[in-house]
């Protein structure tokens, strides 16, 4: 690593920073001073670094949009002083945070790399150090004065993914993440091999714009055979609801029940945005391919194309927070804002 490079490490918490509670045996966050004792390597890696620890550290199951805002503001404040940013984060909701930041950090031109671990840093077989040290290397990888990966990413085990394409897939193995609908941006072996044609480069010299307003009035409606009208109506009548991600079958199909069509149409008429996402990990919604999705279009349902659930939920929160006109929000849902979906 290059001695003149500088990286900002933002420690939010997660398993990487936990140890076993002696009385309950459950994993809980330790404090930053103890964590540093496990990482003497940080002083030898040859890059300048500064750490910003959250106090207290959090399990990422407690993540929320206020903390996304905090992370985005830290990056904005330190943007000119560092070559790259590494965010140490629990794996459970890392894909949501990476997706949210990909929308909040408009015109990003520096690497923001999320990583974490499946085992605490103090355990012998922990994956924490390798993940963290490789993430730092990627965050400071420059060529001809330009960063190689100026995107919000997740690095885990040996793979670098675009953050808003990523999903946690495994609670057991070290390869905890996958990006089902977009190729990896890099693979780390003896060397780190970057796949540049998949990496997005913003126009150089654009000023970073940080957009932190979000609206949480979003819900997920997951369809299953036998779902009742009562369940669907109850979700679509949640007070203050502004948008729903409807998780449908296969290529975006839903039961051809008249009550479902009526409920979705009425939600649309009440100004609630309904976006159709497939329950399949791989592939895309193709509304109108089957009769079972044609009706959805007539009810005013929009397509999430091949977005992950993490990306579409956070995109909705961001759009509802930043824009007030429903037509403007709907238009932005049809386009990819930050590489989160493939639209042909
Ligand atoms: N529960 C932990 C968290 O997300 C799991 C992990 O870090 O792997 O904070």
């Amino acid at each position: 690593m290059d001695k003149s490079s500088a990286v900002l490490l933002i420690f939010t918490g997660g398993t990487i920073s936990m140890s076993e509670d002696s009385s309950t045996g459950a994993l809980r966050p330790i404090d930053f001073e103890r964590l540093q004792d496990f990482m003497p390597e940080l002083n030898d890696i040859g890059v300048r670094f500064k750490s910003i620890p959250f106090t207290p550290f959090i399990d990422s199951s407690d993540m929320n949009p206020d903390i996304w805002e905090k992370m985005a503001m830290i990056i904005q404040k330190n943007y000119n002083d560092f070559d790259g940013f590494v965010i140490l984060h629990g794996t459970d909701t890392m894909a949501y945070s990476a997706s949210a930041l990909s929308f909040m950090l408009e015109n990003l031109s520096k690497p923001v790399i999320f990583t974490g671990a499946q085992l605490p840093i103090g355990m012998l077989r922990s994956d924490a150090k390798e993940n963290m040290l490789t993430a730092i290397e990627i965050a400071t990888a420059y060529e001809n004065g330009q960063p190689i990966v100026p995107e919000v990413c997740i690095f885990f085990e040996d793979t670098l993914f675009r953050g808003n394409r990523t999903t946690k897939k495994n609670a057991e193995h070290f390869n905890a993440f996958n990006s089902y609908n977009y190729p990896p941006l890099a693979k780390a072996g003896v060397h780190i091999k970057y796949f540049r044609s998949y990496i997005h480069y913003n126009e150089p010299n654009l000023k970073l714009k940080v957009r932190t307003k979000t609206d949480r009035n979003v819900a997920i409606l997951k369809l299953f055979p036998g779902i009742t009208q009562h369940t669907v109506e109850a979700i679509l009548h949640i007070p203050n609801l502004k948008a729903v991600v409807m998780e449908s079958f296969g290529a975006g199909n839903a039961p051809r029940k008249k009550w479902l069509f009526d409920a979705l149409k009425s939600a649309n008429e009440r100004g609630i945005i309904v976006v159709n996402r497939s329950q399949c990990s791989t592939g895309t919604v193709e509304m109108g391919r089957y009769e079972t999705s044609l009706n959805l279009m007539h009810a005013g349902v929009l397509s999430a194309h091949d977005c992950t659930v993490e990306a579409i939920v956070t995109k909705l929160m961001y759009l509802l927070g930043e824009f007030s006109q429903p037509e403007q929000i709907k238009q932005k849902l049809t386009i990819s804002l930050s590489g989160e979906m493939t639209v042909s």
Side-chain angles (χ1 to χ4, degrees):
M1 286 185 245
D2 181 350
K3 272 210 164 51
S4 60
S5 305
V7 67
L8 182 69
L9 304 177
I10 304 171
F11 285 85
T12 69
T15 296
I16 194 167
S17 57
M18 293 187 188
S19 78
E20 252 177 38
D21 184 282
S22 50
S23 56
T24 63
L27 287 174
R28 57 191 303 276
I30 54 174
D31 57 36
F32 186 59
E33 279 66 41
R34 259 191 82 198
L35 183 66
Q36 277 177 310
D37 294 343
F38 290 116
M39 307 183 301
E41 295 86 351
L42 270 185
N43 299 311
D44 303 326
I45 54 175
V47 299
R48 283 183 296 119
F49 73 91
K50 177 179 157 187
S51 307
I52 300 191
F54 280 21
T55 34
F57 283 149
I58 58 163
D59 186 300
S60 78
S61 304
D62 286 324
M63 189 51 61
N64 65 57
D66 293 341
I67 309 180
W68 297 335
E69 174 175 355
K70 186 171 163 184
M71 289 188 237
M73 297 306 288
I74 291 175
I75 290 172
Q76 182 177 46
K77 193 163 164 243
N78 292 281
Y79 197 63
N80 295 329
D81 299 333
F82 293 90
D83 299 300
F85 302 83
V86 171
I87 303 183
L88 283 303
H89 192 293
T91 57
D92 289 348
T93 62
M94 191 186 288
Y96 284 93
S97 296
S99 299
L101 260 72
S102 78
F103 301 120
M104 289 177 161
L105 302 174
E106 202 176 299
N107 299 336
L108 184 70
S109 60
K110 290 188 176 181
V112 174
I113 314 295
F114 279 80
T115 196
Q118 291 283 62
L119 282 177
I121 198 158
M123 287 177 82
L124 266 185
R125 291 193 306 106
S126 174
D127 49 337
K129 283 184 190 176
E130 274 173 41
N131 284 346
M132 188 168 68
L133 294 172
T134 312
I136 293 173
E137 184 160 346
I138 292 169
T140 52
Y142 273 60
E143 206 172 62
N144 304 322
Q146 296 303 318
I148 299 181
V149 197
E151 290 205 32
V152 178
C153 300
I154 289 182
F155 176 76
F156 222 83
E157 209 202 18
D158 61 354
T159 312
L160 183 73
F161 302 106
R162 175 172 293 163
N164 59 27
R165 291 293 194 145
T166 309
T167 294
K168 183 172 179 182
K169 65 159 189 192
N170 204 317
E172 162 74 17
H173 294 135
F174 288 141
N175 59 344
F177 290 90
N178 201 9
S179 161
Y180 291 96
N181 285 321
Y182 198 76
L185 305 186
K187 274 277 182 193
V190 174
H191 303 286
I192 300 177
K193 193 165 172 6
Y194 294 96
F195 307 120
R196 286 163 206 254
S197 57
Y198 298 125
I199 299 172
H200 176 74
Y201 295 92
N202 278 323
E203 291 290 315
N205 307 325
L206 290 178
K207 195 169 157 17
L208 177 74
K209 263 198 215 146
V210 177
R211 297 178 175 268
T212 56
K213 287 198 209 110
T214 52
D215 188 323
R216 302 179 189 199
N217 289 301
V218 171
I220 298 176
L221 164 59
K222 186 163 187 160
L223 300 180
F224 54 89
I227 191 167
T228 63
Q229 179 173 0
H230 186 71
T231 303
V232 171
E233 294 280 5
I235 292 176
L236 293 177
H237 282 92
I238 292 171
N240 301 324
L241 184 69
K242 298 209 180 117
V244 177
V245 176
M246 184 178 75
E247 291 212 300
S248 60
F249 309 124
N253 306 312
R256 276 177 302 172
K257 296 271 185 242
K258 179 159 183 324
W259 61 258
L260 181 61
F261 174 80
D262 290 344
L264 293 169
K265 189 158 181 290
S266 138
N268 185 40
E269 284 161 4
R270 283 179 284 126
I272 296 171
I273 296 169
V274 184
V275 187
N276 183 12
R277 196 197 92 84
S278 172
Q279 291 176 24
C280 296
S281 306
T282 307
T284 189
V285 163
E286 284 182 83
M287 293 217 287
R289 176 160 160 209
Y290 293 88
E291 226 174 53
T292 40
S293 63
L294 199 57
N295 259 352
L296 299 176
M297 286 163 79
H298 298 145
V301 174
L302 303 174
S303 172
H305 299 271
D306 60 351
C307 260
T308 60
V309 70
E310 296 87 342
I312 192 66
V313 165
T314 54
K315 183 174 180 177
L316 284 167
M317 284 179 165
Y318 154 78
L319 290 176
L320 291 166
E322 287 286 340
F323 302 94
S324 54
Q325 297 302 318
E327 288 318 311
Q328 199 179 11
I329 296 174
K330 286 184 180 171
Q331 186 274 330
K332 289 189 184 294
L333 283 165
T334 65
I335 55 174
S336 176
L337 300 179
S338 189
E340 74 279 7
M341 68 184 191
T342 317
V343 253
S344 45

